[in-house]
Amino acid sequence: MTFSPELEAQFEKFLAKYPADKKRSAVIPMLVYAQDETHAITQEVIEEVAKRCGVTPLQVDEVVGFYSMLHKKPQGTYHVQVCTNISCLIVGGEEIWNQACHKLGIGHKQTTADGRISLEEVECMGACSWAPAVQVNYDFYHFVTPSQLDKLLDGLSAGKKPDEIAGVKRASC
Amino acid sequence: MRYNDPSPLETPVLTRRFRLPNSQSIDTYLASDGYKGFERAIGMTQDEIIGEVKTSILRGRGGAGFPTGMKWGFVPRTSPKPKYIVVNADESEPGTCKDRLLMEFDPHQLIEGVLIAGLAVGAQQGYIYIRGEFRYLIGVMDKAIDEAYAKGYLGDNILGRGVKFNLATHSGAGAYECGEESALLESLEGKRGNPRIRPPFPAVAGAYQCPTILNNVETFCAVPSIILNGGKWFADLGSPKNGGTRLFCLSGHVNKPGVYELPMGFNLMRMINEVGGGIRGGKKLKAVVPGGSSCPILKADECDLAMDYDTVAAAKSMLGSGGVVVLDEDTCMVKFALRIMRFYAHESCGWCIPCREGTTWLKKLLTRFHEGQGQRSDIVMIGDLSKNMLGRTFCPLGDAAAMPTIAIVEKFRDEFEAHLDGKPCPYEHINAFSKSGLAA
Ligand SMILES: Cc1cc2nc3c(=O)[nH]c(=O)nc-3n(C[C@H](O)[C@H](O)[C@H](O)COP(=O)(O)O)c2cc1C
Ligand code: SF4
Ligand code: FES
């Protein structure tokens, strides 16, 4: 399997960060960044990462099972993550989550039939003071209201990119 | 530039550059005393640096509040092994959202704090372990690190002064347990995030089994100001035995939720009413989680207290990670306890049985209870199961799950009773959006 030149360059950067005999340290960062490109951790990805880090495929595979961001099944183009942990829960996070499920007709860790949107109910994402919070891929949305969620999901379903959707602004720079 | 308006009651020390234009850039940083603490530290002995941090009474901002200077003093500086500085930027304790801001709006302050720690123990390599979901922050930190290399503040001969230090970011991949220091180190080494047996502590055997300083982002960010202005200056900002300011993450049912930098020892009721603008919708206060989800909850009548480690500990809770979650009278405490337990059951790494099984069973019990299928004896069982986890788990995650649960059952037993005999949850009809007149 071949990765993009950008990803290969990123891999090189990762490997250079750790002592020469500690390449295993690069396993997790490599998996996360590889997954962004391949959309899922396949057996081939596992083998490529293992080869580059000088470990066995099994040593990589056991890591994949541990971390919630790593997954063997592809997610939607836009992975919508709704926090329902305590700070979000008490100011509407659960309503936002139920609304998202209802609107898309899918549930936790499911993907729409067209493959555009997947949903996940997630734990605290570090936006508690600006709750309720939602992440779409790596972008944060703060103080999310039901009407904003509607716009966001309508826009994504209609094929728009998050930044093209009027009335919904991502928080992070 | 921040995500909430500042409060006039703040004492901006760590956040003082947030309001500057382009606060992320090294030029802004250098124009506002940036790297001056580090330059001063180059001229100090290791004992002097550690001494200054001890004098500051800086206590770890990650949760446990351990004195930072003392921790640095445990590193065997004469060991022939390489030494490491590791930044805990895993920020995942529910209720906590401050490290994100510190990295986003003043990344060089963190780099400078790490550099000073490196001088203090003779380390030449640092890693910033950033939770994977904070991808944009990895970009922010990488950019700042590149700037620091370009201007000679990182590298093999820093500022031509013969100091060597290299720094890199490291991405996590989603696991609360990797915020626990020994699990973080396992994860940094490319393994599953199961914790290590301690002792030895990271100071002696940390990254790659070498002596390691591991601190929270906010802890490192306090260090440049301490070296620049003196440990005593920092200590005097806070309350006795609790130096400095801290970033409190006010969330929940207040009018002005936000992250605010306040002196240690700031009164909790003032925080809610004067900084946070009071409870929204004119509702009454029911309870407060004072320092992230693992801290025992305080009832409204227990909240008139100074927010420092010792006062909150005396009230049988913890200052924790700075996550202050404010709950109004309409909050269902059974549901709140259930959500906390769902979190810990999900995040339990599975390594030891009391935590893995305990959190799973407590989640089941609380779910059943909230659905109105609970029995009176379950109330006792929830408390007993939690108490049996306390102190019997391999790492503190088990305690973190047990402590809030014990407190909620003890302090809000009446709410559990209100769910008995198939009665529907008294709060279930309340919609968080419609109740406080929020935009729908
Ligand atoms: C389950 C668990 C999760 C933790 N998560 C974090 C975290 O996200 N960030 C953090 O700084 N410390 C976290 N800690 C505390 C760390 O183990 C460690 O005490 C801390 O990073 C030390 O830094 P400090 O002395 O500067 O606070 C966690 C501890 C436990 C038991
Ligand atoms: S208490 Fe035990 S099972 Fe729970 S996270 Fe720690 S080591 Fe893992
Ligand atoms: S609880 Fe939702 S972001 Fe922290």
Side-chain angles (χ1 to χ4, degrees):
Chain A
M1 112 174 273
T2 49
F3 297 118
S4 70
E6 294 78 27
L7 187 59
E8 288 291 0
Q10 187 68 60
F11 282 175
E12 287 303 315
K13 274 195 190 164
F14 286 150
L15 288 169
K17 289 179 178 186
Y18 311 100
D21 59 339
K22 308 290 183 203
K23 299 274 173 257
R24 186 174 181 179
S25 279
V27 165
I28 294 163
M30 270 194 195
L31 286 170
V32 181
Y33 281 67
Q35 179 178 269
D36 289 343
E37 185 166 300
T38 61
H39 304 296
I41 307 286
T42 60
Q43 189 57 32
E44 280 177 300
V45 171
I46 289 174
E47 281 164 19
E48 289 294 326
V49 168
K51 198 168 73 193
R52 284 168 173 77
C53 299
V55 296
T56 65
L58 185 64
Q59 287 173 314
V60 176
D61 204 354
E62 66 176 23
V63 161
V64 177
F66 188 86
Y67 294 94
S68 66
M69 285 173 68
L70 302 176
H71 44 85
K72 296 191 171 178
K73 231 173 58 180
Q75 294 173 326
T77 311
Y78 294 104
H79 187 52
V80 176
Q81 302 141 82
V82 180
C83 175
T84 61
N85 212 310
I86 50 174
S87 301
C88 290
L89 173 80
I90 62 173
V91 297
E94 192 170 58
E95 283 87 348
I96 293 287
W97 168 246
N98 289 334
Q99 186 188 338
C101 292
H102 189 76
K103 195 168 170 76
L104 297 173
I106 56 173
H108 182 54
K109 293 197 179 172
Q110 291 179 346
T111 307
T112 53
D114 61 2
R116 277 195 69 76
I117 309 177
S118 48
L119 264 187
E120 187 174 352
E121 181 185 14
V122 295
E123 302 299 353
C124 175
M125 55 174 75
C128 326
S129 289
W130 317 293
V134 168
Q135 247 189 318
V136 179
N137 297 344
Y138 294 112
D139 290 333
F140 281 86
Y141 294 83
H142 292 163
F143 298 118
V144 177
T145 63
S147 74
Q148 280 171 354
L149 183 79
D150 260 341
K151 283 186 198 138
L152 179 71
L153 295 181
D154 283 339
L156 293 178
S157 303
K160 288 191 186 153
K161 294 193 175 118
D163 283 352
E164 298 166 354
I165 302 168
V168 190
K169 222 174 132 287
R170 75 194 156 99
S172 35
C173 54
Chain B
M1 273 300 275
R2 308 200 301 185
Y3 298 128
N4 55 269
D5 292 330
S7 159
L9 294 167
E10 284 183 84
T11 305
V13 177
L14 278 68
T15 58
R16 69 186 183 281
R17 293 189 192 85
F18 285 15
R19 57 203 68 194
L20 301 177
N22 230 340
S23 67
Q24 296 168 324
S25 85
I26 195 163
D27 294 327
T28 306
Y29 193 66
L30 289 170
S32 53
D33 288 339
Y35 291 110
K36 289 226 176 95
F38 170 62
E39 288 188 43
R40 170 170 295 181
I42 294 178
M44 294 164 69
T45 66
Q46 294 183 329
D47 284 333
E48 281 168 352
I49 299 173
I50 294 174
E52 211 60 61
V53 176
K54 283 184 177 162
T55 305
S56 76
I57 329 181
L58 172 64
R59 298 171 67 169
R61 305 297 196 234
F66 193 83
T68 305
M70 195 190 290
K71 193 191 245 184
W72 292 13
F74 293 152
V75 173
R77 280 179 267 153
T78 51
S79 160
K81 290 184 180 174
K83 290 150 203 86
Y84 292 97
I85 309 296
V86 176
V87 180
N88 190 341
D90 194 54
E91 185 152 80
S92 351
E93 171 85 0
T96 318
C97 51
K98 64 194 174 61
D99 299 338
R100 208 181 124 195
L101 287 180
L102 287 166
M103 290 187 280
E104 181 167 353
F105 297 119
D106 199 353
H108 285 284
Q109 179 170 246
L110 175 59
I111 297 174
E112 185 178 356
V114 171
L115 276 167
I116 295 169
L119 288 174
V121 296
Q124 299 183 333
Q125 175 69 52
Y127 294 105
I128 308 174
Y129 184 105
I130 303 180
R131 69 179 288 187
E133 295 89 341
F134 285 176
R135 171 66 64 84
Y136 79 101
L137 287 177
I138 297 179
V140 172
M141 286 312 311
D142 280 344
K143 187 161 170 245
I145 288 170
D146 286 347
E147 285 181 324
Y149 273 106
K151 296 256 182 189
Y153 288 97
L154 285 171
D156 290 342
N157 183 12
I158 295 174
L159 302 176
R161 304 279 295 271
V163 177
K164 176 176 172 183
F165 198 87
N166 289 297
L167 182 61
T169 54
H170 179 99
S171 174
Y176 167 69
E177 175 59 5
C178 288
E180 193 282 331
E181 57 184 16
S182 66
L184 184 151
L185 293 166
E186 286 290 292
S187 181
L188 180 65
E189 295 183 14
K191 301 173 199 160
R192 293 166 72 90
N194 295 123
R196 296 174 179 170
I197 188 101
R198 282 163 301 164
F201 289 94
V204 176
Y208 311 121
Q209 296 300 321
C210 295
T212 300
I213 285 184
L214 190 152
N215 281 117
N216 171 258
V217 170
E218 188 183 351
T219 311
F220 283 114
C221 287
V223 171
S225 303
I226 290 170
I227 298 300
L228 196 59
N229 302 315
K232 185 174 181 312
W233 169 84
F234 189 81
D236 289 346
L237 292 172
S239 57
K241 295 201 189 132
N242 291 266
T245 56
R246 106 164 280 181
L247 274 64
F248 288 99
C249 319
L250 199 53
S251 71
H253 299 134
V254 287
N255 280 309
K256 293 189 256 177
V259 176
Y260 302 100
E261 185 174 4
L262 301 165
M264 276 290 185
F266 199 91
N267 181 279
L268 178 56
M269 284 315 295
R270 279 191 71 206
M271 197 183 299
I272 294 167
N273 290 323
E274 296 173 34
V275 179
I279 307 294
R280 63 196 208 186
K283 295 279 179 181
K284 281 213 279 292
L285 175 68
K286 179 182 273 185
V288 177
V289 178
S293 62
S294 57
C295 302
I297 200 151
L298 300 171
K299 286 180 91 161
D301 61 9
E302 298 171 314
C303 290
D304 185 11
L305 86 181
M307 289 290 271
D308 61 37
Y309 292 100
D310 306 309
T311 312
V312 182
K316 297 201 169 58
S317 186
M318 299 182 304
L319 194 63
S321 61
V324 181
V325 191
V326 180
L327 279 54
D328 74 10
E329 57 187 317
D330 290 341
T331 315
C332 172
M333 296 312 298
V334 177
K335 188 165 182 174
F336 198 74
L338 165 61
R339 188 62 188 89
I340 290 177
M341 194 50 68
R342 272 181 58 201
F343 169 68
Y344 288 106
H346 182 252
E347 300 299 334
S348 167
C349 82
W351 188 250
C352 68
I353 295 164
C355 166
R356 185 183 65 218
E357 296 299 317
T359 54
T360 305
W361 280 102
L362 283 163
K363 182 180 90 171
K364 284 185 189 164
L365 273 171
L366 286 161
T367 304
R368 190 166 85 182
F369 216 101
H370 187 249
E371 286 167 355
Q373 309 298 315
Q375 290 157 19
R376 193 165 291 276
S377 58
D378 289 346
I379 307 179
V380 181
M381 184 143 45
I382 292 166
D384 283 355
L385 258 176
S386 306
K387 282 181 196 142
N388 276 314
M389 279 166 66
L390 266 191
R392 293 197 173 88
T393 56
F394 191 75
C395 89
L397 188 142
D399 296 334
M403 289 181 298
T405 313
I406 294 168
I408 293 174
V409 174
E410 272 173 8
K411 295 182 184 181
F412 295 97
R413 198 190 161 92
D414 54 326
E415 294 206 16
F416 283 81
E417 285 172 356
H419 284 74
L420 282 173
D421 309 321
K423 285 199 283 288
C425 170
Y427 304 97
E428 203 60 348
H429 61 284
I430 297 169
N431 179 304
F433 286 101
S434 46
K435 81 162 180 187
S436 27
L438 285 176

